[in-house]
Amino acid sequence: MNTTSTERNQEIVRRYTGQPAAMPPEVRRRIEDAWGGGPVQLYALADLDHTLNLSQDWVALGPEHFAIHRLSNNPGSEPRLTIVRLANVREVKEVPGLTCTKVILSGQPGEPALAEFRYSQRQSRAVGALLYVLRQRIEGKSAEHDGADRIYAEGVAKPIREAQASVASNRAAIVWRLLGYLKPYRTQVALGMLAATVMTVVGLVPPYLTGYIIDTVIRPFQDGELSEEAALKTALVIIAGLAAVFVTREAMTWVRLRKMAVLGEHVARDLRNDLYDHLHKLSVSYFSSKQTGSIISRVSSDTDRIWDFIAFGVVEVSLSLLMLIGLGCVLIYLDWQLGLLMTLPVPVMLYMIYRNGRGMQRMFLRAWRKWSNLTDVLSDTIPGIRVVKAFNQETYEKERFGRRNATVTDEFFRIHHRWTAFWPFLLLFVHSMTVAVWFFALPRIVGADPTLTAGTFVSFLLYLGMFFQPIEVFGQMSRMVNRSISSAHRIFEVLDTEPDLTDVKTPVQLDRIEGKVDFENVTFSYDPVRPVLKGISFRVKPGEMVGLVGPSGSGKTTIINLAARFYDPTGGRIMVDGHDLREVDSGAYRQQIGMVLQDPYLFHGSILENIRYGMQTASIENAVEAAQAANAHDFICKLSHGYDTIVGERGHTLSGGERQRISIARAILHNPRILILDEATSSVDTETERKIQEALDRLVTGRTVFAIAHRLSTLTRASRLFVIKEGRLVEQGTHSELLEKTDGVYRKLHDMQRELHEMYAV
Amino acid sequence: MSQQASTHNSDAAFQPEGLSFRLRRDSAGTVWLDRNGTSTRVHLHLCFPWTEPQRFLSLRDEDKNELALIKDPDELDADSRAALEKLTEESRFVFPITGIESADPDFELRVWKVRTQGGPRQFQTKLDDWPRPLPDGSLLLRDISGDLYHIKDPDALDPKSRRILWAFMD
Ligand SMILES: Nc1ncnc2c1ncn2[C@@H]1O[C@H](COP(=O)(O)OP(=O)(O)OP(=O)(O)O)[C@@H](O)[C@H]1O
Ligand SMILES: [Mg+2]
């Protein structure tokens, strides 16, 4: 975390919540003056008062005090301060409600509360951080804390960042940045735009020629002012010109479409690559905070929408604008009175289209909601079809679906009524302009002193017909452009996420690690304050197998996450072969780590490919040997496609134990120097467990092994056991050493499991 | 938990339904459940916050063990009812919306600017998180932080609010 991310969070707090992005300096000063002992170390907003109205009260924690700063209800009078000495606080109680949580700080039992305040869920992270440290202090423990502003802003901004995942940015900036992706292709863009411009301008020529031929050939010929020969000669030139215009125009259209379509693909491809590369730089914490689907759609459908934008959006919108301006100029040039008559209503029409779009948006929103009501029934009942049948609810479900289907159709009817009425209405408006042109033009042509030629009039009418197209384009494009901008926003959001783990400039290359792992007073927390690991120190010798045991949530998985460098420790350090992990090339390091997890992941592909994942060059012989060692060979051969069976999503579904053995084979083939087993045998039957255990026994020899297990019996091979409790290493030793401690944690766990075993043993 | 608090969950099973306990509010504002000479500090959990907000109130201790399930507060004596009232007020609180200024999409979010009884507030929902219609015809919104907002009678709002709300109502 650095200052820039704090500033970003503050920006989000300001923009989206309307509450202060930090504690105002005068509030801080007043509090510090009042308690006269040290700085404000943590603070949060208590945004509800005792009458449950919104308020801007601040709560703050200092080295020895807790303070509440309340604005007075009547303006002008001084804010009220409540200062509580931490030494007097015996208990901090939270009373959670649906939205409001009340916090009570109490002293001696029976006495009134020392202080109380209320906050809404929005403040819960910031308040939670403060209360955590407060409670630690009361219990006499020291708690780490720094960066009050950071913790407050991060806490308030977090849900917003997670939902929108956004840095506050505006549309223009996004379009601009997107256009930046065209830079490498600037000659192509220039060519495409040039072609498009020529195409548009040339498109204005035919109506002009039509008018011209009427005025300079047809009329003079009919009036007898031009000989047949001369008339035909001029006519031929004009016809040739017309032909040339059409050829040029379509040639240009071809260039423009091709260039821009191809360019769009280039940009989409570049974005996809950038995105995917960047995703691999991000740490696991990013992926655990996002839904898989949303990440996938960013790489796939969002980049696809960018194609629309580049291939059509950019060009069509700028060309339509050009076309409108060009048409306006030509019309006014031909005849300024009629020209103005035509161009002045255009802004009105654009406004009408805009208004219509807004109205349609509300209808679409409503229809979308009803639509999702309808699909909810589907996503409910299709996966749950057995429950529906078991409870004989088909009729109910059919009726429910039918009702929602009817309401969504009603919404679509409403939408259709609207647009089917709007476009004819708009066209009528256009036509009324045409009628007006006729109305004003004809007297000027047929009058005694004609001020308008028939040719000009005809050109005019033809231009008029062209007027509608760009306006229509604006109507259609605004939706598409909006969608593309949203997509671009989502893409840039990922690209802007900075990886929290980065390798140092010149990392140490560990080509073959011995497997000596030292944790030196390692602390770690996932969120800003609550530590999960509190000073873990141990030394594991190369080739040693250690078991990690302890209650659920004690931090075992966290320890191995750190050992694999999925996260960096917050304090202390982890040494591998005497090198700080942070200075080691993480790619080369992970190459030598193998993991077998409780719920192993198989990729879509054949079993062979899955076994060879991580060691793509291994020979088939080696893969089979690995499978044999993993006790997997036997069941694989029983499958009708053997090692070629497709597994993973949509593939052949294997049982949990089978998948586990494949992932063990994968680890065996990978031949890691450090092996991590996180509850590798937790959810299988005893026979399978025995098979897996045999496989593991083969796997663990000759490497450093961290094994986590709830069933203590599976750790018999471990040379030492580390007992983890509440983030601390509380006991260590061999199985029998630990059992000797009669009131030890391990002894208790062990006795409990034996009891259970005896109770339920068949 | 304080020293005088001790719970005998097993006792509950032998007590007849109804007035086997009393609720009491102390000067610090804490509500205690007195039963068989022991006092336990209680929290309130609403079983049906929206369909039956007044009934089926679950009283639980610090560790969320149920001490009593009040099917109807009328079963209680007057003092207990008063103490209970205090307990329910805050835990049941949600922001009452009195008017809507706007509800516009901002990329992935919908930004609501509303007036509540306690002042103006701005919050966000996901684009496809729809207000939830409740059995009594009111609407409930939940923002991305988990705060709840309640529109008691959507039809009684001012015309602008109603127009904005139109897309979100049946
Ligand atoms: N990604 C995460 N973000 C925030 N907190 C987390 C995360 N992962 C784990 N924690 C918290 O850290 C603590 C330790 O979790 P950890 O997974 O290390 O426990 P464990 O000992 O492996 O438990 P179990 O035996 O149940 O697997 C838990 O309180 C958990 O809630
Ligand atoms: Mg775990």
Side-chain angles (χ1 to χ4, degrees):
Chain A
M1 292 290 151
N2 43 32
T3 11
T4 56
S5 84
T6 301
E7 278 162 16
R8 251 188 215 175
N9 285 332
Q10 290 183 333
E11 166 83 35
I12 288 175
V13 172
R14 221 172 283 134
R15 174 166 150 167
Y16 286 102
T17 66
Q19 75 187 48
M23 177 182 264
E26 70 274 8
V27 172
R28 183 189 283 254
R29 211 193 47 240
R30 232 177 264 135
I31 291 175
E32 286 169 0
D33 285 350
W35 69 31
V40 169
Q41 292 172 321
L42 280 174
Y43 62 81
L45 188 73
D47 56 354
L48 288 167
D49 65 16
H50 68 286
T51 58
L52 297 172
N53 283 332
L54 283 163
S55 64
Q56 260 190 27
D57 301 341
W58 292 94
V59 293
L61 185 69
E64 276 155 32
H65 298 88
F66 169 84
I68 306 180
H69 179 279
R70 289 199 166 91
L71 287 183
S72 171
N73 286 336
N74 26 339
S77 52
E78 281 289 294
R80 284 172 300 132
L81 269 169
T82 311
I83 306 280
V84 177
R85 286 188 64 83
L86 295 189
N88 296 337
V89 183
R90 290 183 51 118
E91 195 189 17
V92 181
K93 201 176 87 142
E94 280 171 279
V95 188
L98 287 172
T99 287
C100 164
T101 304
K102 178 161 78 170
V103 179
I104 304 167
L105 271 61
S106 46
Q108 295 304 317
E111 281 175 15
L114 298 173
E116 62 174 53
F117 62 93
R118 292 163 187 78
Y119 63 91
S120 73
Q121 304 266 353
R122 180 180 290 169
Q123 318 299 337
S124 60
R125 283 163 207 266
V127 176
L130 185 143
L131 292 185
Y132 173 78
V133 175
L134 175 61
R135 288 199 175 103
Q136 294 289 307
R137 294 260 173 84
I138 294 171
E139 288 169 25
K141 296 177 194 155
S142 73
E144 295 275 330
H145 49 78
D146 65 327
D149 288 342
R150 173 174 66 84
I151 290 171
Y152 167 77
E154 189 181 323
V156 180
K158 191 159 191 200
I160 304 169
R161 287 188 77 139
E162 271 174 9
Q164 177 183 35
S166 151
V167 284
S169 54
N170 65 39
R171 307 186 145 246
I174 288 174
V175 172
W176 198 239
R177 184 164 168 193
L178 196 54
L179 292 179
Y181 273 82
L182 287 171
K183 251 197 206 140
Y185 312 101
R186 45 173 105 69
T187 28
Q188 307 283 319
V189 179
L191 265 176
M193 286 307 270
L194 185 71
T197 314
V198 173
M199 177 189 103
T200 313
V201 173
V202 165
L204 293 173
V205 175
Y208 183 80
L209 284 184
T210 314
Y212 184 78
I213 208 169
I214 292 176
D215 281 349
T216 56
V217 181
I218 299 177
R219 280 273 304 278
F221 171 72
Q222 285 175 343
D223 295 348
E225 291 166 14
L226 206 66
S227 70
E228 188 185 338
E229 198 184 339
L232 272 180
K233 218 174 110 190
T234 321
L236 271 180
V237 173
I238 293 175
I239 289 170
L242 196 66
V245 162
F246 283 135
V247 170
T248 320
R249 193 182 130 98
E250 292 320 313
M252 288 298 134
T253 310
W254 173 65
V255 174
R256 165 244 179 283
L257 283 177
R258 206 176 108 144
K259 285 275 176 262
M260 296 319 272
V262 170
L263 265 180
E265 292 299 356
H266 277 308
V267 172
R269 180 202 56 197
D270 293 352
L271 275 171
R272 267 196 295 273
N273 274 339
D274 280 5
L275 260 179
Y276 195 67
D277 289 355
H278 193 81
L279 280 177
H280 280 286
K281 282 189 209 135
L282 295 177
S283 55
V284 277
S285 59
Y286 177 81
F287 295 92
S288 58
S289 71
K290 289 274 175 346
Q291 284 176 347
T292 317
S294 104
I295 300 179
I296 292 174
S297 74
R298 285 165 205 232
V299 183
S300 54
S301 53
D302 281 334
T303 55
D304 202 39
R305 285 215 191 126
I306 300 298
W307 181 84
D308 294 340
F309 180 74
I310 301 285
F312 288 104
V314 182
V315 191
E316 295 294 317
V317 170
S318 40
L319 282 192
S320 299
L321 208 63
L322 184 74
M323 180 99 162
L324 267 187
I325 296 172
L327 273 174
C329 292
V330 172
L331 290 183
I332 293 173
Y333 165 77
L334 283 177
D335 185 289
W336 69 269
Q337 288 159 325
L338 290 183
L340 281 183
L341 183 68
M342 279 306 298
T343 43
L344 286 182
V346 169
V348 178
M349 292 203 308
L350 288 179
Y351 179 71
M352 277 162 54
I353 292 183
Y354 167 78
R355 278 306 302 256
N356 180 55
R358 297 275 308 187
M360 295 290 281
Q361 249 170 27
R362 287 202 313 141
M363 292 187 172
F364 278 130
L365 186 61
R366 204 175 141 103
W368 175 24
R369 186 169 58 86
K370 309 253 164 153
W371 184 253
S372 61
N373 279 346
L374 183 73
T375 50
D376 280 352
V377 178
L378 289 176
S379 49
D380 253 9
T381 51
I382 306 275
I385 196 77
R386 300 207 320 180
V387 183
V388 177
K389 288 196 187 305
F391 287 89
N392 194 23
Q393 289 299 309
E394 288 97 332
T395 324
Y396 165 75
E397 291 298 349
K398 276 190 286 195
E399 277 170 12
R400 192 156 74 116
F401 186 82
R403 261 198 316 276
R404 297 191 179 185
N405 200 6
T407 48
V408 78
T409 313
D410 285 344
E411 292 306 320
F412 289 145
F413 284 160
R414 200 197 296 267
I415 289 174
H416 294 317
H417 286 317
R418 170 95 177 226
W419 73 261
T420 49
F422 177 75
W423 289 100
F425 171 74
L426 194 70
L427 279 173
L428 195 63
F429 188 79
V430 175
H431 294 322
S432 66
M433 283 158 56
T434 316
V435 172
V437 167
W438 282 78
F439 183 79
F440 288 109
L442 279 180
R444 289 172 50 198
I445 302 178
V446 299
D449 180 19
T451 52
L452 192 68
T453 66
T456 310
F457 180 59
V458 169
S459 311
F460 217 93
L461 290 182
L462 289 174
Y463 282 127
L464 222 74
M466 295 168 69
F467 228 96
F468 194 60
Q469 195 213 340
I471 292 178
E472 210 181 356
V473 168
F474 282 132
Q476 292 165 352
M477 285 292 148
S478 66
R479 230 175 113 80
M480 191 266 272
V481 170
N482 268 338
R483 286 220 311 242
S484 308
I485 291 178
S486 295
S487 288
H489 172 263
R490 283 194 288 268
I491 291 170
F492 292 148
E493 186 272 314
V494 177
L495 291 178
D496 289 343
T497 308
E498 284 166 23
D500 350 330
L501 294 180
T502 42
D503 275 349
V504 292
K505 282 254 167 50
T506 45
V508 181
Q509 295 289 335
L510 291 180
D511 290 332
R512 190 188 145 82
I513 46 183
E514 290 294 317
K516 183 158 81 89
V517 180
D518 293 328
F519 271 53
E520 295 180 1
N521 198 18
V522 170
T523 55
F524 179 75
S525 59
Y526 290 99
D527 54 31
V529 279
R530 195 177 64 101
V532 173
L533 300 184
K534 305 164 187 162
I536 299 258
S537 298
F538 58 72
R539 166 163 296 188
V540 179
K541 296 189 283 285
E544 189 182 2
M545 175 176 180
V546 295
L548 298 175
V549 296
S552 182
S554 55
K556 304 178 296 291
T557 303
T558 308
I559 290 179
I560 60 160
N561 278 343
L562 290 176
R565 205 182 171 216
F566 289 149
Y567 302 91
D568 276 338
T570 336
R573 57 182 188 166
I574 300 169
M575 310 288 279
V576 171
D577 289 358
H579 299 283
D580 190 329
L581 255 195
R582 276 173 286 221
E583 278 150 26
V584 167
D585 181 291
S586 50
Y589 174 64
R590 290 214 193 101
Q591 188 78 48
Q592 301 178 63
I593 290 190
M595 290 189 126
V596 179
L597 304 178
Q598 179 183 5
D599 189 20
Y601 191 82
L602 297 189
F603 291 99
H604 180 78
S606 70
I607 290 182
L608 178 66
E609 282 165 347
N610 266 291
I611 293 178
R612 285 207 286 203
Y613 194 86
M615 186 62 102
Q616 318 259 3
T617 51
S619 69
I620 289 197
E621 286 77 14
N622 290 342
V624 172
E625 277 165 22
Q628 280 167 334
N631 266 342
H633 176 75
D634 204 37
F635 86 80
I636 295 174
C637 290
K638 283 186 197 147
L639 301 171
S640 58
H641 296 274
Y643 282 84
D644 293 324
T645 308
I646 301 295
V647 293
E649 219 176 310
R650 281 170 302 153
H652 189 100
T653 36
L654 299 175
S655 76
E658 287 166 343
R659 274 184 290 149
Q660 214 142 35
R661 276 178 280 166
I662 290 183
S663 80
I664 292 173
R666 174 151 80 194
I668 291 178
L669 189 64
H670 187 51
N671 195 18
R673 300 299 308 144
I674 298 178
L675 178 67
I676 289 169
L677 307 168
D678 192 351
E679 294 173 36
T681 59
S682 45
S683 55
V684 289
D685 62 68
T686 22
E687 172 62 13
T688 319
E689 186 188 346
R690 194 182 54 75
K691 282 191 184 142
I692 294 177
Q693 202 57 48
E694 280 173 17
L696 286 178
D697 288 350
R698 282 183 210 123
L699 180 55
V700 297
T701 44
R703 36 191 133 235
T704 307
V705 180
F706 290 89
I708 298 178
H710 278 294
R711 247 180 266 171
L712 303 178
S713 54
T714 55
L715 292 177
T716 44
R717 278 186 65 104
S719 60
R720 274 186 300 162
L721 297 173
F722 294 162
V723 185
I724 312 293
K725 193 181 171 196
E726 288 171 17
R728 289 178 211 282
L729 177 57
V730 288
E731 289 168 22
Q732 57 172 306
T734 62
H735 175 71
S736 44
E737 279 168 14
L738 290 175
L739 279 187
E740 278 164 22
K741 297 187 185 168
T742 36
D743 53 351
V745 179
Y746 185 79
R747 174 70 185 255
K748 234 184 266 168
L749 277 173
H750 179 264
D751 290 352
M752 228 144 61
Q753 286 197 0
R754 212 185 43 203
E755 252 174 60
L756 270 180
H757 190 73
E758 282 161 6
M759 240 193 289
Y760 296 108
V762 206
Chain B
M1 200 173 288
S2 107
Q3 59 274 67
Q4 44 186 311
S6 83
T7 325
H8 300 291
N9 265 337
S10 49
D11 284 0
F14 302 107
Q15 293 293 336
E17 285 275 322
L19 289 168
S20 60
F21 61 88
R22 295 172 71 89
L23 296 173
R24 159 176 71 78
R25 193 171 130 84
D26 70 11
S27 53
T30 310
V31 176
W32 300 84
L33 182 144
D34 298 333
R35 173 156 55 192
N36 300 343
T38 61
S39 290
T40 318
R41 200 147 81 177
V42 286
H43 292 294
L44 176 68
H45 293 253
L46 304 174
C47 298
F48 303 92
W50 305 109
T51 38
E52 285 281 359
Q54 308 298 337
R55 306 199 313 129
F56 293 95
L57 312 175
S58 172
L59 294 177
R60 300 189 171 230
D61 68 10
E62 307 283 274
D63 300 325
K64 306 224 161 131
N65 300 313
E66 182 165 271
L67 300 176
L69 178 66
I70 303 173
K71 297 203 178 102
D72 194 333
D74 289 343
E75 296 165 5
L76 300 176
D77 60 290
D79 292 346
S80 297
R81 251 201 327 270
L84 187 67
E85 197 52 48
K86 203 64 212 159
L87 206 55
T88 54
E89 187 192 357
E90 275 168 2
S91 57
R92 208 182 269 158
F93 171 77
V94 298
F95 290 104
I97 290 184
T98 55
I100 302 173
E101 302 292 340
S102 64
D104 292 325
D106 180 325
F107 299 111
E108 315 284 279
L109 295 176
R110 187 175 312 288
V111 177
W112 296 77
K113 292 186 177 149
V114 300
R115 298 185 297 274
T116 76
Q117 244 158 45
R121 190 159 161 112
Q122 179 179 339
F123 64 91
Q124 293 80 31
T125 57
K126 292 221 176 113
L127 278 188
D128 53 357
D129 264 354
W130 310 106
R132 173 174 157 196
L134 298 179
D136 61 356
S138 61
L139 278 184
L140 187 70
L141 285 83
R142 189 189 144 96
D143 78 4
I144 48 175
S145 318
D147 284 324
L148 297 170
Y149 301 80
H150 190 222
I151 304 175
K152 194 151 187 238
D153 185 1
D155 294 327
L157 295 181
D158 58 295
K160 182 182 171 198
S161 304
R162 261 182 299 157
R163 209 170 36 106
I164 295 172
L165 218 48
W166 173 79
F168 302 99
M169 284 179 46
D170 292 319

